[in-house]
Amino acid sequence: MQLGVNVPNFGPGTDPGVLRAWAETAEGLDLDLLMLSDHVAVTPDVAERYPEPFFEPFTTLSWLAGVTTRIRLGTTVLVLPYRHPLLVARMADGLQRLSGGRLVLGVGVGWARREFEALGVPFAERGRLTDECLVALRGALAADGGTPGVPIWVGGHSRAAIRRAVRFGDAWHPLRLPADRMGAVLAEQELAGHPLPGFAPRIALRLTDGPVEEAGRPTGVGTIEQVVGDLDRLRRLGAQAVVLDPYDGDPQETRRPQEAWRALTAVAEHWRSAA
């Protein structure tokens, strides 16, 4: 099972030097994936959690491709309705070629209503638009002779998102969903005869000094033993990759990346020793 990290590409502490340090840390830990999130118009609803500066993912990943050599680079998740699918196909194909085939394209429908309004995209139609984008994106990459093997991970856990993952995806990419719920979805799809094409969740990463005993403990939150146990459970559920997300919602965290690096290092080292 591959292990990756979702890097904050936003916030008051984020700049090119910090982004480079994140990439060096992730590759130095021999992680498999480095992924970034996506927003285009940082409207007030977005800024509360993901404030400026916000580094656009394709631009940033292209730059990081030049300062890394091995780690795969991706989006978690690109909001498909924000861009024309032919533009997405062109950028994805270009980044795939420039990075030596290291791109993973995680996609989703989006959630920020005011951002949709700022971009002139109808919020209520975002599901339909995402499906249309995926049809066009798949077709454009094939028709243009694009580099093969750009995996598409489909985010979300609604019924529509699950259908979308089965129809268009190379993996289902749920974001911070409880492990029980992920297991139930996987089992339901198998039982219905519509198995998911792959499983690559994104979970939290927050280490605590003592065990977290409360019911509903978020996956990836707890002692190092609990978090490594979560990873093992996901492996047994069939996960091909797990992306760890150390950002807990406070933009000031981006001023202290060393705390996230220490947690990431501990988990990566314990996971390797337990494997």
Side-chain angles (χ1 to χ4, degrees):
M1 186 180 78
Q2 295 188 336
L3 202 61
V5 60
N6 183 32
V7 171
N9 52 320
F10 52 83
T14 300
D15 60 27
V18 170
L19 288 167
R20 180 191 287 268
W22 266 108
E24 291 171 348
T25 298
E27 198 157 62
L29 290 172
D30 202 29
L31 296 184
D32 301 285
L33 293 147
L34 185 155
M35 306 190 81
L36 304 179
S37 56
D38 177 39
H39 286 286
V40 175
V42 183
T43 48
D45 49 346
V46 174
E48 288 181 7
R49 190 174 177 93
Y50 311 109
E52 297 278 16
F54 199 108
F55 291 85
E56 192 277 329
F58 275 115
T59 307
T60 307
L61 290 171
S62 296
W63 179 65
L64 290 175
V67 300
T68 57
T69 59
R70 179 200 56 80
I71 198 165
R72 298 168 76 198
L73 306 162
T75 54
T76 176
V77 290
L78 192 79
V79 184
L80 273 186
Y82 287 170
R83 301 169 180 85
H84 194 287
L86 296 182
L87 175 62
V88 175
R90 179 66 66 186
M91 292 190 294
D93 182 57
L95 180 51
Q96 180 77 332
R97 292 174 185 273
L98 291 169
S99 68
R102 291 189 279 151
L103 178 63
V104 176
L105 193 64
V107 301
V109 301
W111 58 268
R113 183 183 295 270
R114 294 171 72 177
E115 187 175 19
F116 274 83
E117 292 171 354
L119 295 169
V121 180
F123 182 79
E125 298 181 33
R126 65 194 189 283
R128 177 184 61 80
L129 291 171
T130 297
D131 288 347
E132 291 178 358
C133 284
L134 282 165
V135 170
L137 177 60
R138 286 288 197 189
L141 283 171
D144 290 344
T147 305
V150 181
I152 295 178
W153 293 2
V154 178
H157 57 271
S158 67
R159 291 190 180 276
I162 300 302
R163 290 195 297 269
R164 191 172 293 121
V166 171
R167 182 180 177 189
F168 299 111
D170 296 294
W172 176 44
H173 183 50
L175 310 181
R176 291 187 174 234
L177 202 62
D180 287 346
R181 177 61 182 142
M182 290 188 277
V185 169
L186 292 165
E188 289 166 5
Q189 291 301 121
E190 288 283 349
L191 187 62
H194 301 290
L196 286 154
F199 177 43
R202 189 179 96 197
I203 65 172
L205 171 59
R206 181 161 58 86
L207 294 182
T208 59
D209 294 330
V212 178
E213 303 292 359
E214 73 233 29
R217 175 182 65 87
T219 307
V221 174
T223 62
I224 187 68
E225 292 79 14
Q226 285 180 306
V227 173
V228 171
D230 290 338
L231 290 175
D232 186 60
R233 182 179 183 185
L234 293 171
R235 179 189 60 79
R236 287 184 280 109
L237 284 173
Q240 294 96 337
V242 174
V243 178
L244 299 167
D245 187 356
Y247 181 62
D248 199 33
D250 179 4
Q252 296 305 315
E253 294 175 34
T254 63
R255 299 187 187 275
R256 305 181 297 273
Q258 297 83 1
E259 296 177 11
W261 297 340
R262 284 192 291 270
L264 193 63
T265 299
V267 170
E269 291 178 349
H270 279 75
W271 175 246
R272 279 198 296 269
S273 66

